[in-house]
């Protein structure tokens, strides 16, 4: 009986796909005239067409599950809602859209309206493939044969319009893929429940990759993006390497959710480092989800306001565009939530009595304002992870008095720049010079001091001239991070505690000789004056106090951008 049911399922898939294939060529020609098609090249990636978005809206917001799968990505749909979403993508200058299908869907009813609307707007499509039974594992040969047949027919149906495919979503999460409750995750034994689960995903990836390429050899196929909300993504990559699964993906896919742009770039660097270690450095890095949200305080990506979300969007996208090489599209998650929550959305959408209305959020405005090219140039990107402990950092200028040192050192498993000073008259000083630059310069760094009463200073400079000077100073009752002006007057910015990391961001303008200073994402000083008038900035420096002993200060994650 089970074999008969499976045969009937395969037959049903073939009939449905054949029906869809014949009807797809007779689409309403009027739909294709809604927009002038953008001049895009789907076969080339440049900084001129990177802006993407995940489209979770139409199937979550405008329809209900009609297949009995219990999964929300199913029609039927409100066509006005779909067109409204595409209009808003077009308005933001978005070039790429990520959508999905599941085995068993009616292509004509469920997927054609989205594909047609996207293509008519000149959007390139990354299509995510979500398999049929079993949804979260690799099944019997009969089950996987049915899945493969459906997939091949979908690729044949859309291959003139879709050239990019993603296999599943976040398979390193147990709600997306069966990983045996993570039992044996850290073991090299391939037979632990966790490793068997990863192996089954790798089998699914290989079969799907070969199926798509057999129908469209020119297609690009990438693995499902791994989530960084948990720290299990590197273990998953390692098991993929053990299975030689990298042969069946045209890129390494990561969802580097974090609390800010610095955290996002740390994940990107860790991913690139892992790929290099495992012999996959030639694979490009894709980011098919990235975002911040204002609705769920327990999630890593939470920010307190829509304004902060918009600011972080710009900073994060700038960093990714500047550091992803070769360039690949980047997909903000998402165009809007399936509910009234602002969440990750670029906008809010409502449907009342058949009428669609939209409220564009600050993030939509920021995304629209970003040029298609890389809007930021990275001048310094330093996390010391490739340093050699305990030695001075490469490409830094170190000046040490006796009994002082500036070295790369471990703190836990993390490498940082550590300054130590036991000289009551001298200092240790570490300076990083970069390309002489003018305009708006953003400098972000983290610091941590074991004893906060030692007057360590952090400077932006041009040549030997101080521009912005920050220092930790004890005022008789507490220690604060201070802004120090040209006459030595100190303005407290933030109370600080020993052995605690703080993130500082200085946004400096050589046009006004002023800067805004943020600590832990909060604006602490606006329009403070440079110590010296200048037209350029070209150095970052850390120095211990010159009349203190026992100073230990650590600095990490230094990013300077123009």
């Amino acid at each position: 009986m089970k074999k008969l049911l499976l045969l009937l399922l395969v037959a049903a898939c073939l009939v449905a796909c054949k029906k869809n294939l014949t009807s797809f060529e007779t689409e309403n020609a009027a739909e294709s005239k809604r927009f002038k098609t953008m001049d895009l090249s789907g076969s080339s990636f440049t900084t001129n067409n990177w802006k993407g978005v995940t489209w979770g809206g139409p199937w979550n917001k405008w329809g209900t599950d009609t297949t009995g799968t219990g999964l929300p990505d199913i029609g039927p749909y409100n066509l006005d809602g779909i067109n409204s979403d595409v209009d808003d993508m077009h308005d933001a200058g978005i070039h790429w859209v990520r959508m999905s299908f599941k085995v068993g869907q009616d292509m004509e009813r469920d997927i054609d309206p989205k594909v047609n609307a996207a293509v008519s707007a000149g959007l390139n499509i990354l299509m995510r493939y979500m398999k049929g039974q079993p949804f979260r594992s690799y099944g019997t040969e009969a089950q996987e044969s049915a899945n493969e047949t459906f997939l091949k027919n979908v690729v044949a149906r859309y291959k003139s319009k879709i050239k990019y495919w993603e296999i599943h979503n976040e398979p390193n999460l147990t709600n997306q893929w069966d990983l045996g409750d993570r039992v044996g995750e850290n073991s090299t034994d391939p037979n632990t429940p966790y490793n068997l689960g990863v192996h089954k995903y790798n089998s699914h990836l290989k079969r799907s990759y070969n199926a798509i390429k057999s129908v469209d050899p020119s297609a690009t196929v990438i693995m499902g993006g791994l989530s960084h909300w948990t720290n299990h993504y590197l273990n998953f990559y390692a098991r993929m390497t053990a299975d030689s699964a990298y042969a069946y993906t045209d890129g390494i896919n990561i969802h580097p959710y974090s609390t800010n742009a610095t955290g996002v770039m740390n994940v990107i660097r860790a991913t690139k480092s892992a790929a290099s270690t495992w012999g996959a450095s030639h694979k490009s890095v894709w980011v098919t989800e990235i975002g911040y949200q204002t609705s769920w305080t327990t999630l890593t990506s939470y920010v307190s306001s829509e304004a902060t979300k918009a600011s972080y969007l710009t900073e994060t996208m700038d960093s990714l565009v500047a550091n992803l090489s070769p360039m690949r599209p980047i997909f903000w998650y998402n165009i809007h939530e399936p509910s009234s929550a602002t969440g990750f959305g670029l906008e809010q959408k409502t449907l009342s009595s058949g009428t669609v209305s939209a409220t564009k959020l600050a993030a939509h405005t920021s995304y629209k304002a970003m040029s298609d090219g890389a809007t930021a140039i990275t001048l310094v990107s330093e996390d010391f992870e490739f340093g050699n402990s305990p030695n001075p950092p490469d490409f830094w200028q170190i000046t040490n008095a006796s009994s002082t040192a500036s070295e790369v050192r471990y703190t836990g498993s993390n490498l940082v720049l550590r300054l130590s000073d036991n000289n009551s008259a001298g200092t240790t000083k570490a300076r990083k010079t970069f390309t002489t630059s003018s305009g708006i310069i953003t400098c972000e760094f983290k610091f941590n001091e074991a004893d906060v009463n030692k007057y360590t200073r952090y400077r932006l400079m041009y040549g030997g001239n101080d521009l912005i000077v920050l220092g930790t100073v004890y005022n008789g009752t507490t220690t604060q991070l201070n802004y120090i002006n040209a006459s030595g007057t100190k303005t407290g910015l933030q109370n600080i505690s020993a052995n605690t990391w703080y993130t500082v961001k200085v946004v400096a303008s050589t046009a006004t000789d002023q800067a805004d200073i943020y600590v832990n994402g909060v604006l602490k000083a606006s329009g403070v004056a440079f110590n010296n008038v200048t037209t350029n900035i070209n150095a970052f420096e850390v120095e211990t106090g010159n009349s203190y002993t026992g100073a230990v200060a650590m600095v990490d994650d230094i990013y300077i951008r123009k």
Side-chain angles (χ1 to χ4, degrees), residues 46-48 50 261 264-265 268-269 272 285 287 313-330 370-381 442 559-562:
T46 72
T47 53
N48 293 321
W50 62 268
V264 169
M265 294 313 301
I268 295 298
R269 277 186 290 275
K272 287 183 175 181
V285 175
V287 177
L313 178 154
T314 300
E315 187 176 357
T316 299
M317 292 302 193
D318 277 344
S319 298
L320 289 169
V321 170
N323 287 279
L324 287 179
S325 180
M327 190 64 215
R328 293 295 180 262
I330 305 165
M370 295 185 74
S371 66
D372 288 327
T375 60
I377 299 171
T378 298
L379 302 169
V380 175
S381 179
T442 299
Y559 304 106
I560 302 176
R561 305 179 180 93
K562 180 181 185 302

Side-chain angles (χ1 to χ4, degrees), residues 438-494:
S438 60
I440 304 295
I441 309 298
T442 299
C443 172
E444 185 170 346
F445 64 95
K446 292 163 58 177
F447 77 91
N448 181 325
E449 299 183 16
D451 185 336
V452 294
N453 302 321
K454 303 299 184 182
Y455 198 42
T456 302
R457 285 148 293 166
Y458 309 87
R459 302 183 179 101
L460 269 180
M461 308 177 70
Y462 177 56
N465 294 324
D466 291 346
L467 301 179
I468 294 295
V469 180
L470 306 177
T472 52
V473 181
Y474 183 64
N475 63 12
T477 57
T478 187
T479 300
Q480 293 183 313
L481 178 69
N482 287 256
Y483 157 68
I484 305 170
N485 71 11
S487 63
T489 301
K490 304 173 181 65
T491 302
L493 303 174
Q494 170 85 33

Side-chain angles (χ1 to χ4, degrees), residues 2-3 5-14 17 101-104 129-134 138-154 204 207 211:
K2 288 183 179 179
K3 290 183 178 179
L5 288 173
L6 286 168
L7 289 172
L8 289 172
L9 175 61
V10 173
C13 287
L14 288 169
C17 289
F101 79 94
K102 290 185 175 69
V103 170
Y129 161 48
M130 302 299 287
K131 68 193 297 294
Q133 291 281 8
Y138 191 80
T140 65
E141 175 58 29
Q143 288 173 320
E144 297 310 325
S145 179
N147 288 327
E148 180 181 354
T149 297
F150 194 93
L151 172 61
K152 285 182 175 179
N153 280 291
V154 172
H204 173 53
R207 187 163 190 157

Side-chain angles (χ1 to χ4, degrees), residues 130-256:
M130 302 299 287
K131 68 193 297 294
Q133 291 281 8
F135 300 123
R136 295 170 48 248
S137 188
Y138 191 80
T140 65
E141 175 58 29
Q143 288 173 320
E144 297 310 325
S145 179
N147 288 327
E148 180 181 354
T149 297
F150 194 93
L151 172 61
K152 285 182 175 179
N153 280 291
V154 172
V155 176
R157 177 180 184 77
Y158 294 119
K159 69 178 182 179
S160 66
K161 298 186 177 185
I162 301 175
K163 291 294 183 181
Y164 304 92
W165 303 84
E166 181 180 2
I167 310 304
H168 210 76
N169 181 62
E170 299 183 342
N172 64 318
L173 299 185
T174 55
N175 65 341
Q176 297 288 329
W177 195 262
D178 183 2
L179 296 171
D181 295 324
R182 301 197 178 282
V183 174
E185 178 176 1
N186 296 310
S187 171
T188 58
D189 180 356
N191 296 311
T192 67
Y194 175 85
N195 289 337
L196 286 173
V198 180
H199 176 74
K200 288 183 178 181
Y201 172 75
N202 294 337
S203 297
H204 173 53
L205 175 65
K206 177 179 179 179
R207 187 163 190 157
S208 302
Y209 181 94
N210 287 334
I212 293 170
K213 295 282 189 177
S214 71
V215 177
D216 184 5
S218 65
T220 294
V221 183
I222 59 172
M223 59 182 281
L226 301 191
S227 171
H228 179 249
W229 274 354
T230 66
N231 287 319
H232 302 282
Y233 68 112
L234 294 177
N235 289 336
F236 201 97
Y237 283 141
R239 290 311 308 168
M240 291 187 71
T241 302
D243 275 355
S244 300
Y246 284 130
Y248 302 101
T249 178
D250 295 323
I252 298 171
N253 193 357
I254 183 68
H255 296 170

Side-chain angles (χ1 to χ4, degrees), residues 335-356:
I335 184 64
H336 63 76
E337 294 294 341
S339 66
S340 60
T342 52
F344 290 92
L346 298 176
E347 61 183 7
Q348 287 176 291
K349 278 286 176 69
T350 59
L351 177 66
S352 179
S353 301
T355 300
V356 177

